């Protein structure tokens, strides 16, 4: 409990929940936990109470603005998707969520949906809002790599369309649970093997099915190094994503918003295709997006 | 223990071990278990004893011919790969394996390897041998769908080259462990959704990365039926395999050797591309291959 507390920002991902307590002069405290919330409002409220209950002052309702899976069908309360084309600023579409604890005034940021081709996002729309808040004239494509990588076309303050690739999830499954795990180092990078994988996948995307098993065979027959195997897999999957997303990045202005390591890998892969992407830190952009919404609520009240 | 017992055929897969006891007039008994063998000779001998120990007569060594993972580096004893091009008949390359039990006379069928592009198989070479034993004039391509699907070019009694796609393993991981599992029926088929998936993957193979997540999004937004979702995933992955293997099947004679359900799915997918594939039952082909080897040993002794 801190007297300076003004509001709390929550990034509710499918695997992690990250909360930031903010006052007039910025960050007061941060907290993070695995997302182990049970489906529904009670389960989610219990998980949030574990994380930030100690920050809340008695006798008043603290504003909490949350984005991500908290607004999914089995989340706290469903925040229906906004359909694209949609403004990058989601402030007017916030959904109030019921809370048993009177100290909570919870607002959920809805995700975005696209009818054809069918696609959805929850959480990334807030990173996009944060990026655009800092780059209001941006016209181009925002790539948000992750478990489910998103590519969004942004023009004139609107998300025009977007697509998702399951690259991060595929990498996790293949590197830890498939036969390829026998060839993999648990960490480490081999930049040459990474770019080789990107190039293979981009030049012959139809061969992905066989390129993956080649990692196993080259380990058995030619002693492919475990670190090179890991980077090759990463390169093949990111290359396959770039192949699918070519209409998004070819000849476009591209910004990569994500965790520094993975954003740098995407920027490197794009750079090898002649695209000079700018990078922004994903966690900063979530906070910037939520802070922009906070400011809009304040000005609406004023 | 059966007086008619002449020899035992063993198909030692990475997940299952299947044994068949054979006499002069054919099959006497069958046994099957999960492959839980510990690495090395002792671990594998213990697993085999559990499965077929009761079949062995005291005081004499029974011939056991085994193919598959039993000959891998961490198997019973390593049976080094034969490099392609290699004859389809592996009888002369059998590897004797040491056994503590004097009732065992174990011979292991070596797998095949290919230097560039690097590839390996263990077990499928025996199915190929069995198929060619029954179709000695076959000249074309044998497709062996499974956890790791193999496509082998066979000409003039030789395996000329082959490639592997991890299709079965990808399907298992994506349908049971990825976010797509929420959309999937545990079983059942939707032939139209299957062929639609094949067609999507074959016509735009570079889009696979986004097509996979579309299954999730169409479930959330458009109520894609769980059975259709499962068949779409299967179709996309088999279509991606066909895209990678196009040089193998385009304008070629193709035989599909595998379990009836999956072989029929591949034949259907190939049929939609104008390729009339013949089908053969994988378990029968393993047994035919091992029986052919048994006959070659007998004639060598005579």
């Amino acid at each position: 409990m801190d007297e300076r507390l003004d509001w709390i920002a929550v990034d509710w991902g499918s695997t992690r929940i990250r909360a930031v307590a903010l006052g007039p002069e910025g960050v007061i405290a941060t907290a993070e936990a695995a997302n182990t919330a049970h489906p529904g409002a009670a389960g989610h409220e219990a998980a949030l109470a574990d994380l930030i209950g100690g920050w809340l002052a008695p006798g008043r309702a603290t504003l909490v603005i949350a984005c991500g899976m908290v607004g999914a069908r089995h989340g706290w309360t469903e925040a229906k998707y906004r359909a694209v084309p949609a403004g990058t600023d989601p402030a007017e579409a916030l959904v109030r969520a019921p809370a048993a604890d009177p100290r909570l005034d919870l607002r959920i940021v809805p995700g975005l949906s696209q009818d054809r081709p069918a696609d959805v996002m929850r959480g990334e729309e807030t990173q996009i809002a944060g990026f655009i808040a800092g780059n209001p004239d941006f016209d181009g494509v925002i790539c948000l790599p992750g478990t489910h990588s998103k590519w969004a076309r942004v023009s004139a303050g609107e998300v025009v369309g977007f697509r998702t690739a399951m690259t991060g999830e595929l990498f996790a499954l293949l590197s830890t649970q498939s036969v390829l795990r026998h060839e993999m180092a648990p960490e480490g990078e081999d930049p040459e093997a990474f770019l080789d994988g990107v190039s293979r996948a981009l030049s012959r995307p139809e061969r992905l099915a066989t390129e993956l098993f080649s990692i196993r065979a080259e380990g058995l027959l030619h002693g492919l190094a475990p670190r090179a195997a890991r980077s090759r897999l990463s390169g093949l999957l990111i290359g396959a994503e770039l192949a699918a997303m070519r209409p998004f990045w070819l000849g476009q202005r591209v910004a990569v918003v994500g965790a520094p390591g993975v954003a740098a890998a995407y920027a490197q892969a794009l750079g090898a295709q002649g695209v000079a992407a700018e990078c922004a830190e994903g966690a900063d952009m979530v906070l910037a997006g939520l802070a922009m919404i906070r400011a809009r609520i304040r000005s609406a009240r004023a």
Side-chain angles (χ1 to χ4, degrees), chain A:
Chain A
M1 206 175 92
D2 188 305
E3 288 184 0
R4 293 169 299 168
L5 180 66
D6 176 44
W7 69 290
I8 297 169
V10 177
D11 177 14
W12 201 303
S14 29
T15 55
R16 312 282 302 168
I17 313 174
R18 295 182 184 85
V20 182
L22 292 123
E25 284 164 35
V27 175
I28 299 170
T30 63
E32 183 173 340
N35 179 11
T36 55
H38 293 285
H44 281 69
E45 185 164 346
L48 191 65
D50 283 347
L51 195 65
I52 65 160
W55 295 349
L56 301 174
R60 73 177 180 96
T62 298
L63 180 66
V64 179
I65 309 175
C67 65
M69 298 316 290
V70 65
R73 198 171 296 170
H74 301 290
W76 190 308
T77 197
E78 185 173 5
K80 293 210 182 295
Y81 298 108
R82 291 188 301 142
V84 295
T88 57
D89 175 357
E92 290 185 5
L94 289 191
V95 172
R96 281 180 189 262
D101 186 336
R103 297 174 303 164
L104 282 176
D105 173 15
L106 176 64
R107 319 285 177 97
I108 298 177
V109 183
L112 295 179
S113 67
Q114 176 173 279
D115 196 41
R116 309 269 169 203
D119 220 321
V120 292
M121 68 167 71
R122 278 200 191 277
E124 294 87 355
E125 76 293 327
T126 303
Q127 293 180 289
I128 293 171
F131 182 80
I132 295 300
N135 301 272
D137 298 327
F138 183 87
D139 195 303
V141 170
I142 303 180
C143 161
L144 304 116
T147 304
H148 300 150
S149 296
K150 311 287 179 185
W151 291 71
R153 277 199 190 88
V154 176
S155 184
E158 282 196 329
V159 177
V160 179
F162 65 99
R163 290 301 271 147
T164 303
M166 296 174 57
T167 307
E169 187 161 26
L170 276 169
F171 182 79
L173 289 171
L174 287 170
S175 65
T176 66
Q177 302 202 47
S178 84
V179 70
L180 302 183
R181 73 186 185 279
H182 301 299
E183 310 305 324
M184 299 279 138
E187 54 189 22
E189 283 163 36
D190 178 331
E192 195 178 333
F194 172 74
L195 284 177
D196 177 54
V198 171
S199 163
R200 281 170 189 251
L202 265 168
S203 63
R204 303 300 296 263
E206 74 281 7
R207 287 197 187 160
L208 183 68
T210 56
E211 288 287 354
L212 292 174
F213 191 77
S214 285
I215 295 171
R216 168 71 168 159
E218 288 199 16
L220 287 169
L221 298 181
H222 303 315
L224 180 67
R227 187 170 289 197
R230 182 180 179 82
S231 289
R232 167 97 73 90
L233 176 62
S234 171
L236 285 172
L237 294 175
I238 291 176
E241 178 180 332
L242 292 187
M245 302 297 183
R246 196 185 291 268
F248 279 81
W249 53 261
L250 196 67
Q252 300 294 317
R253 180 177 173 190
V254 178
V256 181
V257 174
V262 67
Y266 275 72
Q268 196 187 7
L270 284 163
Q273 314 314 315
V275 175
E278 54 200 292
C279 287
E281 159 87 69
D284 292 349
M285 293 303 104
V286 175
L287 194 52
L290 294 171
M292 185 268 288
I293 294 168
R294 170 70 189 107
R296 298 262 280 118
I297 292 175
R298 186 181 287 116
S299 65
R301 281 177 181 165

